Amino acid sequence: MVTDQSTAPAATAADIDPITASVLQRRVDSISKEMATMLMRSSRSPIFNEIGDLVTVIFDRNGNTLAQAEFAAIIAFGAHPSLEYIIEYFGDDIHEGDVIIHNDVYHGGNQNADTGIFLPIFTEGRLIGWAAAKGHLADIGGMTAGGYNPNARDIWQEALRIPPLKLAERGVPRKDVWDLLAANIRFGFVMEDIRAMVGCCTVGARRVVEVVERYGLESYESHWEYILDSSRRQVEAEVGRWPDGRYHGESFMTSDGVDPTKKYKIAVDIEITGSDIVFDFSGSDDQSPGICNMPPAAAKGAVRIAFLMLMASGGIRIPTNQGLFAPIATRFRKGSIVDPEFPAATIYGNQLCDEVVEAIMLALADALPDRVCAGWNKYMCTATNGIDPRTGEPFAAFTVFQRTGPGGVQGQDGWDALGFTGTAGQMRYPDPEMLEITTPHFLEYNEYLPDSAGSGEFRGGYGTRSAWRTYGEGQIGVTLADNMAHEGAYPARGLFGGHDSGLNELRVEYPDGSSQEWGSKEIIDQPVGTRVISSAGGGAGYGDPRRRPADKVLAEVRDGLLSPEKARADYGVVLNADGTAVDEAHTAALRA
């Protein structure tokens, strides 16, 4: 039982050594990263060890984030609401040696597949913190292997719903609970991934205890109080420089897995008053009957991602901890697409991060023109599962090399093929050879998609084009995407004269010679020899394209990324006959 929950005494200026505070902050940050490295190297699933669809976090005893390794930021920022609920749920029934598993989206989770392990950290019988690992498990029950099924209509069809549940109690593993989980998960290696998560949390807890023993608990807690307060004060000072006012922005998702042409509005009203900022999503559309509903934990994570982008654009670098988000408040309307009523399906909710971020950027474009980012082309990914004929074993995989492009910002082009806002560019690109070794796929090509970037003084990032063949037995494929051209999607918005983003296209060619467009949220059979052709569009541009230096336009034409026709039409840049130099006279005349 927790023996001491008293608050650490308030630190005074005389108690705090700024150098010690800096060392402690970096030491705990390194612990979170050590945990992530350990998890990737000891896990079985390529989703963990190849892609890095995971996070590791160190919290204080009250559940405040101290440091995190945010390979998938949308998951990282979804860990805090989960722990808040766990602390409330168990109360004083937390003991040294307990290990808790949780994924329930209706009680703090961000996505059922994103399952968390939470381990309380004790020293001398006193709770001093928490170590957590959270990641996308390759299977978590439900009616489809891998968890993604656009035909799901409620939470029970999607996954095994896990409220706070102890895998171990007072250091003793609970065999009944482990067996319950294993009985509802298709792939044996998933249980090994869960054990790897427990292992990395155990190491993280051990490292924190070592730090506390070195510096003393009172010094450790008082310095962390100082660190969190320092982060809060820095952020409040920065937000205090932003213009007060109320700002509105909207973004749209197309297709909910039920109606492929239906559009859903994600709307935000942002109110800035002094150093406080409120993100109100009450004006968003009602929840979807399909899988495209976003739990509040995921929506809060998306808000934090957009907030970090705004801070970073201003050159503000603050460690990711609870103090960083102290000025932020969020509001949601129950029954909306970003706060659905139970038991709505939610497996696609993480991916609405793109729309949340775009709505925020559009809202603040006039207030913070030097901070906002033009629209990122929406998420593009396929998941697949079946039986690998080489081994006779089941497999599940993501083809996350289908990377769309982010938007441009003032002074900087969008990064090429960065992909989903929810991973903030940190989730890794899978090794094509490892994909072919571990799953029955043959990748034909994967490269930048020419002419895909939205034109601008600072262009959007380029998207990618890919093609692969499948040869799994009983293989099915599931799309997890938006911005499909054939569904009539709206492109992501350009800013200040920049052009809108590209759109996405996905086509399937079957062994019998037939073919079809693959919808953004659709499950299909993939017989042996099926070929998939993917075009993931680029991001939107920022600023008038005709202000872009002509030599940059020429360089991209030379590299094969930009066609001479688009260079002329969008950028007003005319090249000589062989395309090796700018025709200065004609370019000046055209741009004039």
Side-chain angles (χ1 to χ4, degrees), residues 4 29 70 151 162 169 208 217 256 310 333 373 415 465 562:
D4 190 342
D29 182 67
E70 53 206 33
N151 297 327
I162 308 173
E169 192 162 14
V208 170
L217 180 59
D256 57 9
L310 294 167
R333 175 176 60 86
C373 180
W415 291 94
R465 60 184 177 191
L562 183 67

Side-chain angles (χ1 to χ4, degrees), residues 100-341:
I100 299 165
I101 187 169
H102 172 268
N103 76 349
D104 185 7
V105 298
Y106 286 100
H107 291 100
N110 65 289
Q111 184 190 71
N112 282 330
D114 294 339
T115 301
I117 296 295
F118 298 84
L119 192 151
I121 306 172
F122 280 78
T123 182
E124 297 181 358
R126 179 175 179 176
L127 178 66
I128 62 168
W130 295 80
K134 194 168 184 180
H136 188 110
L137 297 182
D139 186 68
I140 194 64
M143 66 181 184
T144 304
Y148 285 107
N149 190 331
N151 297 327
R153 296 294 177 264
D154 61 47
I155 197 71
W156 296 291
Q157 293 178 330
E158 290 188 303
L160 177 65
R161 184 171 162 228
I162 308 173
L165 186 65
K166 291 188 180 182
L167 289 174
E169 192 162 14
R170 300 178 189 266
V172 180
R174 295 191 57 184
K175 183 177 184 299
D176 53 350
V177 176
W178 282 95
D179 289 348
L180 173 67
L181 293 176
N184 286 277
I185 293 174
R186 293 171 177 84
F187 307 142
F189 65 80
V190 171
M191 302 305 295
E192 299 304 318
D193 287 343
I194 294 174
R195 290 184 173 88
M197 295 166 77
V198 174
C200 83
C201 288
T202 302
V203 170
R206 187 181 303 148
R207 297 285 188 265
V208 170
V209 169
E210 290 170 355
V211 172
V212 170
E213 288 177 346
R214 177 172 181 177
Y215 289 91
L217 180 59
E218 183 176 336
S219 176
Y220 175 84
E221 291 189 333
S222 62
H223 278 85
W224 265 109
E225 182 182 352
Y226 168 81
I227 294 165
L228 298 182
D229 185 64
S230 175
S231 295
R232 176 190 59 78
R233 286 186 284 103
Q234 290 180 71
V235 175
E236 287 178 344
E238 177 60 24
V239 174
R241 288 190 281 269
W242 297 358
D244 285 359
R246 188 173 178 86
Y247 310 97
H248 181 80
E250 299 176 356
S251 183
F252 291 85
M253 179 201 69
T254 302
S255 178
D256 57 9
V258 180
D259 180 349
T261 62
K262 185 171 177 59
K263 293 178 173 60
Y264 288 83
K265 177 177 70 177
I266 288 80
V268 63
D269 289 294
I270 302 173
E271 187 170 356
I272 301 175
T273 307
S275 60
D276 296 325
I277 183 166
V278 178
F279 297 85
D280 188 344
F281 291 87
S282 301
S284 298
D285 281 350
D286 290 345
Q287 67 189 60
S288 156
I291 63 173
C292 301
N293 298 297
M294 190 177 206
K300 290 176 183 177
V303 169
R304 290 180 171 190
I305 288 169
F307 186 73
L308 280 175
M309 290 182 181
L310 294 167
M311 298 292 286
S313 293
I316 308 300
R317 300 289 188 269
I318 299 174
T320 306
N321 59 45
Q322 203 69 32
L324 178 57
F325 304 110
I328 295 176
T330 51
R331 296 174 186 159
F332 306 104
R333 175 176 60 86
K334 179 60 71 175
S336 71
I337 195 169
V338 290
D339 190 1
E341 294 272 12

